[in-house]
Amino acid sequence: MTDDRICIPTAWETLEPERLTGTILVIGASDRGKSTLVRWLVEKLLRRQPKVGWLDGDIGQSTLGVPSTMNLAVLKQFDPNPPQRQGTFFVGSTSPRGHMLPTLVGVELLNELALKKGAAAVVIDTTGLVAEDAGGGALKQWKIELLRPDTVIALQRDGELEHLLAPMRRERRFTLHEIPVAQGVVARSAEERAGRRRLLFRRYFEKSQTMQIDPAHIPVYGGETCRPGRLAAFHDGRGLTLALGTIAATKTGGLEILTPLDDLSEVAGLRLGSILLDPATGNEFQ
């Protein structure tokens, strides 16, 4: 399940999966191997727990879904194939900057869903935004206050988490594990990250069709930003995402949405994001 190029540190084995239950939050900067650790930990936990939640909260480099979304899979056994998702939440951007509130709402909603579905442990992957001056520190601190995790696992290489970890080392509300970055973790360039997003978007929209949306019957949130190419998401009555779409055209009294969704019966609303996207190429544009 883990990348063969990654050498798992001995220190990871000290996490003792048999003692890990409840909400487990994994934090670290980009290119620290968070996703590798999360996959490894989910596999270990599934050997000891009847159900484990895998909550992919990395909206920029999603493992379980499409960029701009958070995704949840509740697993009963290990499967090397991509797991079936039980919940998706649309943040509307590939970075939490400027989208802190939906980032917090989404992770709480999906964590709550995982626990309701009987997950004995929920492992949460997070974005690499940790810089204090960019709001990453505040985001992680308030995410901890909101989720009340039982365990926080921190991956650090060059002291980039010290502004977070200094007070957390004195916390009694959760157990903090500081573990090393695995050997073999390679930094990806901005273009490599963008290329992966393009690929995921292109695959997602390759079987899309145009749907006619009447705002008189389906509420449209963020409609003031509506323009062709705007990324959007259909959500159900729980606020969970049914499918993404892009604005194909705006017309008097309605919208044309390009989407893989073929049934509007469960749609409670349409929410517009901040990304402009060419679904045929996966390119984001201004």
Side-chain angles (χ1 to χ4, degrees):
M1 194 172 186
T2 54
D3 192 324
D4 292 338
R5 296 169 297 178
I6 303 297
C7 180
I8 302 300
T10 303
W12 287 21
E13 300 290 349
T14 65
L15 289 173
E16 299 180 298
E18 64 274 8
R19 296 190 178 186
L20 297 178
T21 57
T23 300
I24 304 160
L25 189 68
V26 178
I27 62 173
S30 298
D31 300 318
R32 294 298 186 265
K34 294 189 301 297
S35 297
T36 297
L37 172 62
V38 167
R39 290 193 299 267
W40 177 84
L41 192 54
V42 167
E43 182 179 354
K44 293 285 186 181
L45 287 168
L46 281 169
R47 299 174 184 174
R48 297 167 174 83
Q49 303 289 359
K51 287 185 181 180
V52 174
W54 178 354
L55 202 171
D56 177 12
D58 191 345
I59 57 177
Q61 295 294 306
S62 180
T63 300
L64 299 181
V66 188
S68 76
T69 68
M70 298 179 176
N71 295 274
L72 169 69
V74 178
L75 309 176
K76 294 182 179 180
Q77 59 185 7
F78 166 68
D79 188 338
N81 298 311
Q84 181 178 359
R85 298 186 298 273
Q86 277 77 46
T88 296
F89 184 87
F90 179 64
V91 173
S93 175
T94 56
S95 170
R97 296 186 188 188
H99 300 80
M100 301 296 194
L101 287 176
T103 297
L104 291 172
V105 170
V107 74
E108 165 65 10
L109 188 63
L110 292 177
N111 185 57
E112 182 180 291
L113 179 62
L115 296 173
K116 285 182 178 178
K117 287 184 173 293
V122 185
V123 187
I124 304 177
D125 195 359
T126 59
T127 69
L129 182 63
V130 298
E132 190 170 15
D133 59 359
L139 177 61
K140 296 299 186 290
Q141 289 174 21
W142 288 109
K143 189 174 289 186
I144 288 171
E145 291 298 326
L146 180 64
L147 295 172
R148 300 293 174 130
D150 299 271
T151 304
V152 175
I153 301 174
L155 284 164
Q156 180 174 225
R157 176 179 282 157
D158 300 313
E160 65 276 2
L161 296 182
E162 281 304 308
H163 63 286
L164 284 167
L165 298 181
M168 287 168 58
R169 293 184 181 112
R170 298 175 176 83
E171 271 286 359
R172 296 183 179 180
R173 295 176 297 174
F174 55 81
T175 301
L176 173 65
H177 294 277
E178 299 179 56
I179 61 175
V181 176
Q183 293 182 8
V185 173
V186 179
R188 290 173 292 174
S189 68
E191 177 51 35
E192 287 174 320
R193 291 174 175 275
R196 184 172 183 274
R197 290 197 300 271
R198 286 194 295 269
L199 176 63
L200 292 174
F201 277 132
R202 192 166 63 246
R203 286 177 175 172
Y204 182 83
F205 283 103
E206 63 184 1
K207 295 183 179 179
S208 296
Q209 60 184 339
T210 300
M211 302 286 282
Q212 304 294 324
I213 303 301
D214 183 353
H217 298 102
I218 295 178
V220 177
Y221 294 91
E224 65 278 2
T225 65
C226 187
R227 56 173 286 194
R230 181 73 65 185
L231 188 65
F234 294 99
H235 62 262
D236 65 14
R238 300 171 295 170
L240 295 177
T241 299
L242 296 167
L244 301 189
T246 60
I247 306 297
T250 60
K251 297 183 177 181
T252 302
L255 301 172
E256 287 187 359
I257 310 291
L258 186 69
T259 177
L261 186 69
D262 58 6
D263 182 4
L264 297 177
S265 61
E266 294 185 32
V267 172
L270 180 74
R271 193 173 303 277
L272 273 62
S274 62
I275 297 173
L276 294 174
L277 183 76
D278 178 356
T281 64
N283 286 321
E284 300 168 44
F285 60 93
Q286 298 297 320

